[in-house]
């Protein structure tokens, strides 16, 4: 999943759709041209900033928008000598800010630098404006945020580019991840002639929200104190049996979440990953299917009714009064963590921007008494008196007697005053844990991970809700009309889909789900227009900074190379590397161990310690590490290899690479450990298409890990 838009409002789903996009024609940069347009909403483009800048690289910055709308854009043009007739456009998970790229100027996160180094200019927009997010109670035309605002800006960028450079129509390529992946797919499926190709990444399926989070939430609670032994079993040199030592209930929950596609090694983040995108989805879920949360506790067939004892010690219903509101500025002074999710601004937490930035905004409340300490990942503050009586506000976390708010309506927050009665209640969040049981899609819809919830007769084991919620959510994000599939696989242009094998938000099998839609829609022509590449040891977030660099790598290099390969495919007919070879077994995407057999574009590292996946040695004894490193044929050469022996993630041991290595090389080194303990030495490698070790972009990483026990 996804950090997808919360354009979930059911009212919005009934709005008429306008399936047109863009604006175009010739115009003078710096002026407001009279241009022929295809979308009647975007008829009056304007430019309010037009200047040359030197950072992060030399470029001409053009900022503007469209009169009568909240749509804003930023264009970043290189010098003419660097321009090769194309542009790259990032589509954010939710409507955001048109100046994000100016804040991300380091290394591979520098999209402006990457675009210019790749012969293009860079386009970004605010997606139509923050008001297009579609919060519950704020109906809007979700086609604007889904694709129309981005398409209009892309078309107008060509007007400015052709005036600046002359020549032919620039080629255009869009890319977006998580919710931006949905919007990217919707953009190319809903338009023609705007983008010549796209690279969606960490893409979910129409059944992803909220089901990919609900199944994870139950596992987080039931397996909370068992994750260390589960992880130990699946780490290199482990037993390979994560179910050993679990109770029947715990084993059942682990089997369920694994069969739904959660990558077992990715549980290493169990302490920090939280509920992620569910924080943004929850409000729309309650609005769309409020009856579920009552039925869960009161009707047969629902776990809350059938087995209430399984929630003993977890259900929290605490009555108190408001002691004082806490503003964002006060929360900062108190060092309260008010983020909806952890991490930098990327696809993992783009929706967190919905909290706003005003220092005086109320982000928390101090209560008259602290709720009892229990396992808590989210809940509601139910107002029992005062101007907001009967309203609910989502609670993100509890710190002592302070409740920190999640995605909420500021107008309701402002109504609460000291002395108002409230209840802290996590009943809905507990009920959400098995929502996916009651969302079984049709057997022929391509979702075999839900077969575990069917009986021998093929019918669902549990009562089903009146409708499937996920397709309604994703229809809003992709801009498809009610009654039409949110994603069809039918598009004009070319696409490279980038998915990650350790993605715990957009379960990896969902990439194959979309691939099957492309094959069904395009038949024999699918391979002429589509690729799917899986990245090993990569999570959901598009950040160069990793939570644990000894376990995971950034996939930004894969994304950047995909964009370059896409442009060569479109413009010159250069066939990109083949699809990653894979199979799906019980919800898990399995790839070959060998780089040549695996395909795609990621290198592979296989590491041994004293000849095995695990070495047991005495303190001070030297351990021999051997690594076989290879790249898929035709995808480049290894340009760096770094050892990390102490688990710090510093990778201070720089390996010397042999010359003329071709597609494969072998590395050996020795290291000794003085203190007893269990270590997981890691080798991080990177390849680059031309073998350029100094290249700042499109460096494709992977890891190899082993276990060393010193006793």
């Amino acid at each position: 999943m996804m950090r997808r838009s919360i354009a979930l409002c059911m009212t919005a789903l009934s709005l008429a759709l306008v399936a047109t996009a863009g604006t175009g024609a010739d115009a003078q940069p710096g002026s407001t041209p009279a241009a022929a347009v295809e979308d009647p909403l975007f008829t009056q483009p304007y430019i309010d900033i037009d200047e040359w800048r030197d950072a992060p690289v030399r470029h001409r910055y053009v900022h503007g928008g469209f009169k009568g709308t909240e749509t804003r854009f930023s264009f970043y043009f290189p010098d003419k000598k660097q321009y090769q007739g194309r542009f790259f456009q990032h589509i954010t998970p939710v409507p955001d800010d048109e100046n994000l790229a100016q804040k991300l100027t380091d290394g591979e996160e520098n999209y402006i630098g990457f675009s210019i180094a790749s012969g293009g200019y860079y386009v970004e927009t605010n997606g139509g404006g923050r008001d297009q997010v579609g919060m519950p109670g704020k109906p809007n035309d979700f086609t604007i945020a889904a694709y129309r605002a981005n398409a209009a800006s892309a078309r107008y960028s060509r007007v400015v580019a052709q005036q600046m450079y002359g020549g032919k129509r620039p080629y255009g390529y869009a890319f977006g991840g998580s919710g931006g992946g949905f919007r990217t797919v919707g953009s190319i499926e809903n338009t023609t002639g705007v983008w010549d190709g796209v690279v969606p990444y960490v893409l979910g399926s129409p059944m992803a929200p909220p089901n990919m989070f609900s199944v994870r939430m139950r596992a987080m609670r039931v397996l909370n104190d068992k994750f260390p032994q589960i992880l130990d079993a699946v780490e290199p040199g482990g037993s390979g049996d994560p179910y050993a030592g679990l109770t029947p209930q715990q084993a059942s929950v682990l089997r369920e979440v694994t069969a739904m596609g959660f990558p077992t090694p990715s549980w290493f983040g169990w302490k920090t990953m939280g509920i992620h995108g569910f924080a943004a989805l929850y409000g729309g879920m309650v609005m769309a299917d409020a009856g579920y949360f009552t039925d869960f506790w009161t009707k047969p067939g629902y776990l809350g009714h059938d087995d209430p004892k399984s929630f003993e010690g977890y259900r929290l219903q605490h009555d108190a009064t408001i002691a004082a509101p806490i503003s964002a500025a006060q929360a900062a002074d108190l060092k309260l963590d008010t983020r909806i999710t952890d991490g930098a601004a990327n696809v993992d937490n783009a929706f967190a921007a919905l909290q706003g930035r005003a220092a005086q905004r109320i982000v928390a409340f101090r209560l008259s008494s602290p709720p009892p300490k229990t396992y808590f990942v989210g809940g509601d503050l139910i107002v029992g008196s005062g101007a907001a009586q009967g309203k609910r506000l989502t609670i993100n976390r509890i710190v002592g007697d302070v409740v920190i708010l999640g995605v909420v309506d500021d107008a309701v927050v402002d109504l609460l005053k000291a002395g108002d009665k409230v209840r802290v209640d996590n009943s809905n969040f507990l009920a959400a844990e098995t929502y996916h049981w009651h969302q079984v899609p049709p057997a022929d819809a391509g979702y075999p991970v839900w077969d575990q919830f069917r009986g021998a007769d093929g019918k669902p084991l549990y009562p089903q809700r009146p409708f499937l919620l996920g397709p309604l959510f994703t229809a809003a994000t992709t801009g498809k009309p009610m009654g039409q599939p949110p994603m069809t696989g039918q598009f004009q242009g070319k696409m490279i889909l980038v998915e990650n094998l350790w993605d715990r938000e957009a379960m990896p099998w969902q990439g194959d789900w979309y691939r099957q839609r492309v094959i069904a829609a395009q038949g024999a022509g699918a391979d002429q227009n589509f690729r799917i590449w899986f990245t090993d040891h990569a999570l959901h977030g598009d950040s160069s900074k990793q939570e644990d660099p000894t376990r995971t790598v950034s996939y930004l290099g894969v994304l950047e190379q995909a964009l370059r390969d896409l442009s060569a495919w479109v413009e010159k007919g250069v066939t990109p590397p083949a699809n990653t070879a894979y199979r799906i077994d019980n919800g898990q995407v399995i790839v070959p161990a060998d780089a040549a057999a695996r395909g795609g574009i990621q290198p592979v590292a296989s590491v041994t310690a004293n000849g095995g996946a695990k070495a047991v040695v005495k303190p001070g004894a030297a351990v021999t590490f051997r690594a076989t490193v290879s790249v898929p044929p035709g995808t480049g050469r290894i340009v760096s290899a770094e050892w990390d022996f102490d688990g710090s993630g510093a990778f201070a041991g720089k390996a010397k690479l042999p010359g003329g290595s071709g597609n494969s090389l072998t590395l050996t080194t020795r290291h000794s450990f003085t203190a007893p303990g269990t270590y997981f030495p890691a080798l991080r490698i990177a390849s680059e298409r031309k073998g350029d070790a100094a290249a700042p972009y499109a460096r494709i990483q992977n890891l190899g890990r082993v276990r060393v026990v010193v006793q």
Side-chain angles (χ1 to χ4, degrees):
M1 217 258 219
M2 28 183 320
R3 283 326 30 104
R4 36 159 283 103
S5 165
I6 55 170
L8 311 176
C9 178
M10 293 299 292
T11 307
L13 296 174
S14 64
L15 295 176
L17 294 180
V18 183
T20 55
T23 177
D26 295 328
Q28 298 292 323
S31 68
T32 304
V37 296
E38 294 183 3
D39 191 323
L41 184 62
F42 299 98
T43 60
Q44 300 182 67
Y46 66 87
I47 292 172
D48 53 18
I49 302 176
D50 189 342
E51 62 190 22
W52 283 91
R53 296 179 175 180
D54 292 323
V57 293
R58 175 75 172 166
H59 68 277
R60 175 188 169 195
Y61 174 66
V62 175
H63 179 275
F66 293 89
K67 291 182 179 179
T69 78
E70 295 301 314
T71 298
R72 303 291 182 268
F73 55 73
S74 291
F75 307 148
Y76 304 82
F77 296 101
D79 286 318
K80 188 171 184 177
K81 63 183 179 181
Q82 295 174 284
Y83 178 64
Q84 297 175 17
R86 65 183 69 98
F87 71 83
F88 301 97
Q89 179 176 1
H90 186 227
I91 297 178
T92 53
V94 295
D96 208 317
D97 188 293
E98 73 277 14
N99 295 301
L100 290 177
Q102 299 172 39
K103 305 169 187 176
L104 299 172
T105 58
D106 294 331
E108 58 188 359
E109 295 184 9
N110 181 357
Y111 288 149
I112 300 172
F114 164 76
S115 298
I116 291 175
S118 303
Y121 63 90
Y122 181 65
V123 174
E124 62 179 341
T125 81
N126 69 345
R130 194 62 56 74
D131 286 344
Q132 298 300 322
V133 168
M135 293 289 287
K138 297 180 180 178
N140 55 35
D141 184 343
F142 53 79
T143 63
I144 295 171
Y147 63 92
R148 291 170 63 198
N150 284 315
S153 301
R155 287 188 180 276
Y156 184 58
S157 79
R158 289 190 170 102
V159 173
V160 182
Q162 287 185 287
Q163 176 62 30
M164 178 176 179
Y165 302 117
K168 299 179 180 179
R169 165 193 175 277
Y171 292 98
Y173 309 101
F175 63 106
S178 195
F182 284 126
R183 296 173 75 201
T184 299
V185 169
S187 292
I188 199 166
E189 287 194 355
N190 281 312
T191 65
T192 57
V194 181
W195 297 282
D196 301 284
V198 296
V199 179
Y201 57 101
V202 293
L203 178 69
S205 70
M207 284 297 295
N211 304 296
M212 296 299 101
F213 297 105
S214 62
V215 67
R216 148 191 180 155
M217 288 164 63
R218 183 169 184 239
M220 288 168 58
R221 179 176 62 84
V222 175
L223 300 172
N224 185 48
D225 61 349
K226 297 297 181 180
F227 283 123
Q229 68 189 60
I230 291 170
L231 284 168
D232 186 75
V234 299
E235 287 275 32
S239 69
D241 182 7
Y243 300 95
L246 302 184
T247 68
Q249 184 206 29
Q250 291 166 343
S252 174
V253 169
L254 181 56
R255 288 191 181 92
E256 177 181 307
V257 71
T258 303
M260 282 292 280
F262 193 100
T264 306
S266 201
W267 283 118
F268 78 86
W270 64 279
K271 287 184 178 180
T272 56
M273 67 185 188
I275 60 173
H276 205 270
F278 187 78
L281 297 170
Y282 172 65
M285 183 180 174
V286 172
M287 183 176 182
D289 195 6
Y292 169 79
F293 298 97
T294 300
D295 293 348
F296 179 83
W297 299 103
T298 60
K299 290 186 177 181
Y302 295 86
L303 189 62
H305 173 276
D306 295 349
D307 188 15
K309 289 186 177 180
S310 64
F311 296 98
E312 287 182 357
Y314 294 103
R315 193 175 185 185
L316 174 62
Q317 294 177 305
H318 174 72
D319 294 319
T321 59
I322 298 292
I326 298 175
S327 69
Q330 291 169 330
D333 290 340
L334 294 170
K335 295 182 171 53
L336 294 174
D337 182 2
T338 61
R339 295 174 297 174
I340 294 176
T341 188
D342 296 329
N346 54 41
V347 301
D348 262 345
N349 72 341
F351 53 81
L354 301 175
Q355 285 186 299
R357 301 179 178 86
Q360 298 308 310
R361 180 177 181 270
I362 302 304
V363 297
F365 289 101
R366 190 176 299 281
L367 303 181
S368 58
S369 60
K373 291 185 178 181
T374 185
Y375 179 85
F376 184 89
V377 295
D380 291 296
L381 189 69
I382 305 173
V383 186
S385 68
Q389 184 174 357
K391 299 292 187 181
R392 288 174 175 257
L393 295 170
T394 305
I395 301 172
N396 195 36
R397 59 179 65 89
I398 301 172
V399 180
D401 60 355
V402 174
V403 292
I404 299 170
L405 302 176
V407 178
V408 294
D409 186 341
D410 288 343
V412 176
V413 174
D414 292 340
L415 294 175
L416 269 71
K417 306 298 180 185
D420 287 350
K421 296 179 180 179
V422 293
R423 167 174 282 190
V424 178
D425 193 332
N426 69 344
S427 300
N428 283 4
F429 274 68
L430 294 175
E433 292 180 356
T434 51
Y435 191 72
H436 53 282
W437 291 9
H438 310 281
Q439 291 282 289
V440 178
D444 61 353
Y447 296 101
V449 299
W450 262 272
D451 288 347
Q452 61 184 306
F453 307 116
R454 305 181 199 275
D457 59 359
K459 296 180 180 179
L461 296 171
Y462 307 102
Q464 296 300 292
R465 304 307 299 166
F467 50 81
L468 297 176
L469 193 54
L472 295 181
F473 285 3
T474 49
T477 309
T478 59
K480 294 297 179 71
M482 282 285 289
Q484 290 189 13
M487 299 189 288
T488 64
Q490 184 62 57
F491 55 85
Q492 293 188 19
K494 299 187 184 298
M495 179 186 299
I496 298 177
L497 174 58
V498 174
E499 298 282 63
N500 297 335
L501 294 178
W502 283 31
D503 193 335
R504 53 202 180 202
E505 280 74 52
M507 310 304 196
W509 61 262
Q510 295 174 109
D512 178 74
W513 181 91
Y514 186 70
R515 181 189 182 189
Q516 299 309 317
R517 305 286 80 71
V518 174
I519 292 172
Q522 303 190 27
D527 283 346
Q528 300 174 19
N529 299 316
F530 180 84
R531 289 288 186 275
I532 181 170
W533 293 338
F534 284 99
T535 311
D536 199 6
H537 295 102
L539 299 172
H540 192 74
D542 52 355
S543 172
S544 61
K545 298 177 178 62
Q546 298 297 299
E547 177 183 348
D548 185 343
T550 69
R551 280 187 167 99
T552 60
V553 297
S554 166
Y555 62 87
L556 286 174
V558 176
L559 173 61
E560 291 168 349
Q561 189 58 56
L563 287 165
R564 288 178 172 177
D565 285 349
L566 182 70
S567 66
W569 197 9
V570 168
E571 298 165 26
K572 301 177 182 179
V574 178
T575 303
N579 295 317
T580 301
Y582 64 92
R583 61 184 173 87
I584 299 178
D585 183 3
N586 196 34
Q588 299 293 302
V589 177
I590 310 298
V591 297
D594 177 73
R598 183 180 300 188
I601 62 172
Q602 188 185 27
V604 175
S606 176
V607 183
T608 61
N610 287 348
K614 174 182 177 181
V616 180
V617 298
K618 299 290 186 182
V623 180
T624 300
F625 295 92
R626 187 176 187 273
T628 301
V629 179
S630 57
V631 296
T635 63
R637 297 197 301 274
I638 300 297
V639 294
S640 71
E642 308 161 299
W643 292 98
D644 182 282
F645 296 108
D646 60 7
S648 68
F651 288 92
K654 310 300 181 183
K656 183 177 181 180
L657 301 178
S661 59
N663 292 332
S664 181
L665 58 88
T666 299
L667 302 173
T668 59
T669 190
R670 289 168 66 82
H671 185 82
S672 59
F673 303 83
T674 57
T678 299
Y679 300 84
F680 289 94
L683 174 68
R684 184 172 64 193
I685 59 172
S687 65
E688 202 275 337
R689 182 60 56 86
K690 297 179 181 179
D692 182 359
Y697 308 112
R699 293 171 58 92
I700 303 170
Q701 301 178 15
N702 205 346
L703 284 172
R705 281 164 56 86
V706 289
R707 182 190 305 237
V708 175
V709 179
V710 182
Q711 60 186 26

